[in-house]
Amino acid sequence: MERIAEAWSTDRVILVGDTNQPPFQNGFFFNNPEHLNQQTDGAIHRLALQNATTGNADVRCAFMVQGEVATSPLAAPFGSIEFTESVSPYALGEFVDALVEKARLSRCQRLRLVNYPHCYAPRHIHRLIYTLADRGFNIINNTPTFYLPVSSHSLPERMHAQERQRLRKSQRAGLVASHWADPSIPVVLDFIQNSRLQLGYSLTISMDYLNRLLHQFPEQFPVFVVRDGQNLAALCVCVQVRHDILYSFLPASNADYQEFSPMVMLIDHLYQYSQHEGITILDLGSSLDANHQLKPSLARFKQNMGAIPSPKLTFEIELE
């Protein structure tokens, strides 16, 4: 590490609220200090490669310890190593070596990195895969996400004919989709919880934790709805992952409106919203069942909406 000492900035183990990390420009929200700091009440181990000229971080990663596993992240869809295009292969390799050593010093048996989907950083992912593989990391999981590349074309042009028919049916019934600019958080939480109960699905996030996220990050967690008059037919809590990426985080439908498939209208509205806001990737998320296995019917629905699968890898290395 001494060979590139001037370019490196490393943290000791820090408590929630520490702000000593150099800023990372235009990074993913889940890797930002504000989100990291609320993922755990325990220690956060952070490492950054700081650019000596700009003072910004060119590489960053944070992990938390759970049992004997150092995990990035602990409570988010992904974490892993984020880096800029200017980082050399040598510097990236040195960073990974330092990260592994940091995890080893935390007395962990393994280091696990849950990576962002390939579509988020297609020009970076092959460099990262090569660097991690060269250091002994293995790919232990691939959970594809399904995303819509946002263009000037309308979403119905990409949809399967069956989904276009469902959209028209919702429109004829008078359903209306919109961005809920100032949502009632209790209503949002109740709707999601009741929707899961109606459909027999388990909750993937505690309502207490979601409540905290919605209160703490109202701009990063926008809410979208489909209404039938005053009734909610569908709802989705999204995440503004970056200025150009919107992630459909928690979609929920009212079972009473099943014949209208209001989620089709909601996704179409998310796409129009993305066009208006300059978002280029609308991530509809993975398609897993309660056992974290691929759910073919859900994957087929997203593909019928025009979505494309993108790998989302998890890397792990045994620490000696």
Side-chain angles (χ1 to χ4, degrees), residues 64-284:
M64 298 87 168
V65 176
Q66 189 173 45
E68 295 183 337
V69 182
T71 303
S72 176
L74 191 62
F78 64 80
S80 193
I81 300 169
E82 190 174 3
F83 59 98
T84 65
E85 292 188 12
S86 63
V87 175
S88 70
Y90 171 77
L92 182 60
E94 288 288 315
F95 179 88
V96 173
D97 290 342
L99 184 68
V100 170
E101 181 62 18
K102 195 172 187 67
R104 184 178 289 112
L105 291 175
S106 68
R107 301 185 182 279
C108 291
Q109 299 298 312
R110 286 169 287 160
L111 171 60
R112 182 179 300 154
L113 304 174
V114 182
N115 209 56
Y116 32 88
H118 284 26
C119 61
Y120 283 22
R123 290 190 292 186
H124 294 64
I125 191 63
H126 296 296
R127 291 181 59 191
L128 184 58
I129 291 174
Y130 175 83
T131 302
L132 293 175
D134 191 51
R135 265 85 184 159
F137 280 81
N138 295 306
I139 297 172
I140 64 167
N141 193 28
N142 179 7
T143 305
T145 197
F146 291 81
Y147 77 100
L148 290 163
V150 180
S151 70
S152 59
H153 298 286
S154 70
L155 184 57
E157 294 180 57
R158 297 179 61 94
M159 288 182 193
H160 190 276
Q162 182 180 7
E163 311 310 330
R164 288 197 297 270
Q165 290 173 2
R166 289 172 171 169
L167 177 59
R168 288 194 293 267
K169 185 174 183 180
S170 293
Q171 291 168 338
R172 286 195 299 267
L175 273 61
V176 178
S178 65
H179 172 216
W180 194 356
D182 187 20
S184 167
I185 294 177
V187 171
V188 171
L189 299 177
D190 286 346
F191 186 86
I192 292 172
Q193 196 161 26
N194 291 335
S195 170
R196 293 296 192 270
L197 288 173
Q198 282 181 320
L199 298 172
Y201 296 159
S202 59
L203 291 166
T204 56
I205 181 174
S206 77
M207 290 300 96
D208 286 343
Y209 185 45
L210 179 59
N211 180 52
R212 193 164 83 227
L213 291 173
L214 291 172
H215 276 99
Q216 188 172 350
F217 306 111
E219 297 300 319
Q220 282 76 32
F221 286 84
V223 178
F224 299 84
V225 293
V226 173
R227 295 185 185 275
D228 177 20
Q230 296 301 311
N231 297 326
L232 284 175
L235 178 149
C236 184
V237 177
C238 293
V239 185
Q240 190 80 46
V241 179
R242 200 171 61 187
H243 76 278
D244 55 349
I245 300 173
L246 185 67
Y247 169 46
S248 174
F249 174 46
L250 271 178
S253 296
N254 186 335
D256 294 340
Y257 288 85
Q258 187 172 1
E259 63 172 303
F260 297 103
S261 298
M263 195 53 64
V264 173
M265 174 177 275
L266 189 52
I267 292 173
D268 180 60
H269 181 75
L270 291 177
Y271 188 88
Q272 293 179 48
Y273 174 87
S274 298
Q275 288 177 313
H276 184 265
E277 296 297 320
I279 291 164
T280 59
I281 293 175
L282 174 55
D283 186 356
L284 301 184

Side-chain angles (χ1 to χ4, degrees), residues 26-42:
N26 196 30
F28 300 132
F29 172 63
F30 297 126
N31 285 333
N32 286 347
E34 300 81 14
H35 195 276
L36 289 171
N37 290 343
Q38 58 76 46
Q39 289 188 34
T40 178
D41 292 328

